[in-house]
Amino acid sequence: MRTAPIVPAAVDFSDPAAPRAPAFDAPYHPVSGAFAQARQVFLAGNDLPERWRGRTRFTVLETGFGLGNNFLATWAAWRDDPARCERLCFISIEKHPLRAEDLQRAHAASPMPELARALIDLWPPATCNLHALDFDAGRVRLLLAFGDVQAWARELVARVDAFYLDGFAPARNPAMWEHGVFVMLARVAAPGATAATWSDAHAVRESLRGAGFEVHAAARQGGISDSTLARFSPRFAPPVPPGRVVPRDAPAHAIVIGGGLAGASTARALAHQGIACTVIDRHAEPAAEASGNPASLFHGAVIRHDGPHARLLRAAALRCAPAMRAAIARGVPGCGDGLLRLESRLSLAAMQDLLDRQALPASYVQAFSAALATQTAGLALAHAAWFYPGGGWMDPSALVRDALTTPGVTWRGATTAQRIARHGDAWQLFDVDDRVIAEAPVLVLANASDALRLAGLPMAWLQRQRGQLSWSAHAATSAPRIPIASGGYVLTLPSGALLFGATKQEHDEDPTVRDSDHGANRGKASLLLGADALREIGAMHGRTAWRATAPDRLPLVGPAPDLTAPRPLRADAARLLPRQPGLWLHSGLGSRGLTTATLCAELIAAQVSGAPWPLDADLVDAIDPARGVLR
Ligand SMILES: Cc1cc2nc3c(=O)[nH]c(=O)nc-3n(C[C@H](O)[C@H](O)[C@H](O)COP(=O)(O)OP(=O)(O)OC[C@H]3O[C@@H](n4cnc5c(N)ncnc54)[C@H](O)[C@@H]3O)c2cc1C
Ligand SMILES: C[S@@+](CC[C@H](N)C(=O)[O-])C[C@H]1O[C@@H](n2cnc3c(N)ncnc32)[C@H](O)[C@@H]1O
């Protein structure tokens, strides 16, 4: 989805019982109460909580998050229901999200203070993204789509069971109720999905009918006006492209090949969706290859052209930041206090201009003068810098081990998958002696470039790139407080040693740590910190590993294409191409695996389990492994 600047809501709190949106000249809820309306119109109107009982997952889609009262009321009803579904997913589209301080004010006297506090604590930066907020150990997921309903309605992929239509009165806000919006929303409706709104407008009912809903009216209740209820019963169901299939039921078990960041994060995400997972790796210990470096950086990106790279890295960094904070809280070594990326080409004014044009909020990225960057890093820096408050560093191998302790995840090291084959409804893995070593209905190939060999795909879709890191044997006398990057990078390890790098070499399979590469890394670090900072560091240690990088520098994530199946007549987009049943790829993480693995893993877990996808459809297309077929 194209980035559109997000304009936060201006809320008029002069009547605390009914906050208003002056831009729409409308109240956020009736004076009779937001929660009364939520329960009577939206929950009861969709037969909730009855309909979610006994289900593994129930998905609600709301138009207009506003103050979040409908979400809080639904979450509270779910909590209070002993027969609740296992997982509740609540998607909400909001063009004008509240500023954090206004959200706090709106819930100052909340009847659900604990839930309101949890929402406020996770409130995301106001960027045009699909923000995932997890509550109750991930059993409740709120997907907040910040932006216009007309743009988001075509970007969501989900099976929605209940719609809450809550976008100010149609007369005051017709854009929210257009026929085209309902047609796009119908695309994600599960069979038998219901919809409810307090609006009794004729045009709303006609739009719902036109989109395949059977519509009926509900009489006034309490202080709530007549409402409209609807049930999805379309006359025909359009075919779903192979790259957009949302399964009805999740498999019980999956196998993941690869015990690095990609594999471990996928296993964790699958387990969170209730899918037991075995992680297989040829090494006895996890994270023995690229994911075994002592420390890696995570952060977003600002790119002049706000294309797929910038948008994917932004979406990934926004998802990564809370995940890394949670991992640090669990004891994984790392630091999420921010990261500086030095900028030598743009002036501070030009940097600020770029941020303004892309409307990127300060909670995501800020332009720092050299003086402010110096103060933040705690040592002299010669350039202005981008400051990413949600960035930082992490020990990737500790993160991998942490993910492998997730209940439902089983580690099986020292096991090489030599080949794979589909047998009935399952994938079988064979060892070097061609014996079956494991089988499952779903197989995720997270084994870097070897994934292509196992999947029978062209090896040219990924390149292997050697990299060597360097770190000082002793604590440095002059060390930055937070990581500094730009071309190369430098960070301070908990021991006080400086870690810096990294080299990038194509067609180089040499595993030895080379002095010449230490020299090259030292050169990059000197450019960032100045030569004096590195004078006293003494002896150096190092490590080599290989990145797997696609020619377009985007990851390869999604269902594996089937090159043996006939190509459909119209196959000009990757999502239209046929797939190998039950086979997924999570690879091509290049030099940004720590930032991207969490989001990519959650995308695969959603694609496998039938949960709503946590990424806009056009970015899913951008990382679809089948795109290689079209090149
Ligand atoms: C020097 C260097 C510095 C880097 N710095 C950063 C950084 O600061 N920030 C960042 O985000 N990223 C960084 N990266 C990139 C990051 O390390 C990778 O993106 C990430 O580790 C890739 O994870 P992965 O799980 O895809 O691959 P890997 O960690 O390589 O895992 C793949 C696993 O698959 C297993 N495997 C392969 N084939 C088979 C098979 N047939 N059977 C069984 N097992 C198999 C392997 O044993 C391996 O454990 C750096 C990379 C390098 C090399
Ligand atoms: C009645 S309020 C929603 C109240 C909310 N459901 C709650 O529980 O607090 C309507 C919301 O729709 C949002 N909105 C208006 N036009 C929109 C559009 N075109 N796209 C997305 N959201 C829009 C408004 O900013 C406002 O927050």
Side-chain angles (χ1 to χ4, degrees):
M1 195 173 105
R2 285 177 68 83
T3 305
I6 297 294
V7 179
V11 187
D12 173 359
F13 285 104
S14 44
D15 177 0
R20 293 181 70 79
F24 295 90
D25 190 20
Y28 277 92
H29 55 76
V31 193
S32 54
F35 293 104
Q37 175 178 268
R39 283 189 282 265
Q40 288 169 26
V41 175
F42 295 109
L43 280 151
N46 281 296
D47 296 328
L48 295 175
E50 289 76 13
R51 275 179 62 227
W52 66 39
R53 292 190 174 145
R55 301 266 305 260
T56 50
R57 174 179 300 101
F58 193 89
T59 301
V60 176
L61 193 158
E62 176 184 57
T63 52
F65 187 75
L67 312 181
N69 286 317
N70 289 342
F71 166 66
L72 294 175
T74 306
W75 180 15
W78 179 86
R79 272 194 163 192
D80 291 345
D81 183 6
R84 59 186 168 252
C85 51
E86 284 169 28
R87 287 173 194 76
L88 173 69
C89 192
F90 195 102
I91 311 168
S92 191
I93 306 174
E94 176 54 62
K95 185 174 182 177
H96 302 295
L98 263 62
R99 292 191 173 85
E101 56 273 25
D102 284 340
L103 190 68
Q104 206 151 354
R105 193 167 169 191
H107 294 287
S110 172
M112 302 167 188
E114 186 201 342
L115 307 195
R117 184 73 255 161
L119 173 65
I120 292 161
D121 285 348
L122 291 187
W123 194 238
T127 63
C128 183
N129 282 97
L130 198 50
H131 301 271
L133 282 60
D134 288 336
F135 305 99
D136 283 341
R139 289 182 66 195
V140 175
R141 168 164 275 204
L142 171 62
L143 281 175
L144 274 174
F146 284 168
D148 196 289
V149 71
Q150 309 229 8
W152 271 113
R154 66 185 70 246
E155 292 293 341
L156 297 172
V157 184
R159 287 172 71 85
V160 174
D161 301 296
F163 293 89
Y164 294 7
L165 306 174
D166 194 13
F168 292 135
R172 296 187 191 281
N173 191 21
M176 193 75 156
W177 305 90
E178 269 185 11
H179 173 69
V181 169
F182 292 126
V183 170
M184 291 313 292
L185 292 181
R187 208 182 33 86
V188 296
T194 54
T197 174
W198 39 259
S199 171
D200 60 355
H202 176 73
V204 170
R205 293 178 176 175
E206 280 311 299
S207 290
L208 278 166
R209 278 194 191 97
F213 287 83
E214 269 172 19
V215 177
H216 43 106
R220 172 185 293 266
Q221 277 187 12
I224 313 291
S225 64
D226 289 355
S227 56
T228 297
L229 308 179
R231 180 171 296 275
F232 189 53
S233 50
R235 258 174 269 130
F236 85 105
V240 179
R244 286 271 203 282
V245 172
V246 182
R248 226 175 65 92
D249 301 307
H253 180 223
I255 293 173
V256 175
I257 303 179
L261 282 169
S265 53
T266 305
R268 182 185 170 86
L270 286 167
H272 279 163
Q273 293 300 335
I275 302 170
C277 218
T278 305
V279 180
I280 285 179
D281 199 286
R282 58 190 170 198
H283 296 285
E285 295 296 322
E289 300 202 4
S291 306
N293 289 335
S296 292
L297 305 185
F298 58 92
H299 57 98
V302 180
I303 305 178
R304 188 182 293 274
H305 171 58
D306 199 46
H309 292 87
R311 293 192 299 112
L312 180 76
L313 286 173
R314 184 161 62 240
L318 289 164
R319 180 64 200 116
C320 175
M324 296 302 112
R325 276 199 298 274
I328 291 167
R330 288 195 299 274
V332 178
C335 179
D337 288 349
L339 177 146
L340 288 165
R341 210 177 154 81
L342 303 192
E343 174 61 68
S344 53
R345 277 172 302 182
L346 298 180
S347 67
L348 188 60
M351 290 166 72
Q352 193 54 56
D353 181 55
L354 187 55
L355 292 188
D356 292 345
R357 270 189 287 126
Q358 296 190 1
L360 295 173
S363 48
Y364 174 62
V365 61
Q366 296 164 39
F368 272 14
S369 65
L372 189 51
T374 294
Q375 194 187 329
T376 309
L379 46 75
L381 296 173
H383 296 289
W386 302 102
F387 175 62
Y388 293 95
W393 71 269
M394 167 121 330
D395 173 345
S397 87
L399 186 68
V400 166
R401 286 166 195 274
D402 172 69
L404 295 176
T405 63
T406 308
V409 176
T410 307
W411 164 252
R412 191 169 156 192
T415 307
T416 298
Q418 187 59 28
R419 72 177 180 95
I420 60 169
R422 187 82 179 160
H423 181 74
D425 286 340
W427 282 98
Q428 292 186 327
L429 279 63
F430 297 81
D431 67 7
V432 283
D433 298 318
D434 219 31
R435 286 178 309 217
V436 176
I437 49 172
E439 68 174 75
V442 162
L443 174 59
V444 182
L445 302 175
N447 53 328
S449 37
D450 196 43
L452 296 173
R453 182 186 65 80
L454 289 180
L457 298 170
M459 294 305 281
W461 288 7
L462 286 173
Q463 288 140 8
R464 265 167 71 80
Q465 184 188 59
R466 181 183 178 280
Q468 180 178 316
L469 266 179
S470 307
W471 60 95
S472 59
H474 306 291
T477 44
S478 170
R481 275 203 284 262
I482 60 171
I484 301 175
S486 177
Y489 58 84
V490 182
L491 63 95
T492 313
L493 292 170
S495 64
L498 274 191
L499 178 139
F500 48 94
T503 63
K504 291 188 173 174
Q505 290 117 342
E506 316 285 345
H507 312 295
D508 187 342
E509 294 292 321
D510 179 9
T512 53
V513 173
R514 302 189 294 231
D515 282 344
S516 56
D517 285 359
H518 279 325
N521 285 339
R522 212 184 162 104
K524 286 178 204 244
S526 302
L527 285 177
L528 297 171
L529 302 187
D532 280 355
L534 293 154
R535 196 154 288 150
E536 303 293 329
I537 62 168
M540 279 191 271
H541 296 309
R543 184 176 189 275
T544 53
W546 281 262
R547 308 170 184 91
T549 306
D552 62 8
R553 298 285 188 270
L554 288 165
L556 258 57
V557 177
D562 183 352
L563 303 190
T564 63
R567 261 173 87 161
L569 282 178
R570 198 191 142 219
D572 53 349
R575 64 179 174 279
L576 303 172
L577 296 169
R579 308 295 158 141
Q580 305 189 50
L583 190 65
W584 266 262
L585 253 67
H586 184 174
S587 186
L589 300 187
S591 52
R592 297 301 295 271
L594 185 57
T595 302
T596 53
T598 304
L599 178 64
C600 292
E602 290 184 354
L603 172 64
I604 290 178
Q607 291 174 328
V608 169
S609 66
W613 295 8
L615 188 63
D616 359 354
D618 82 325
L619 285 178
V620 175
D621 288 349
I623 59 174
D624 187 334
R627 69 190 188 275
V629 177
L630 304 176
R631 262 201 299 269

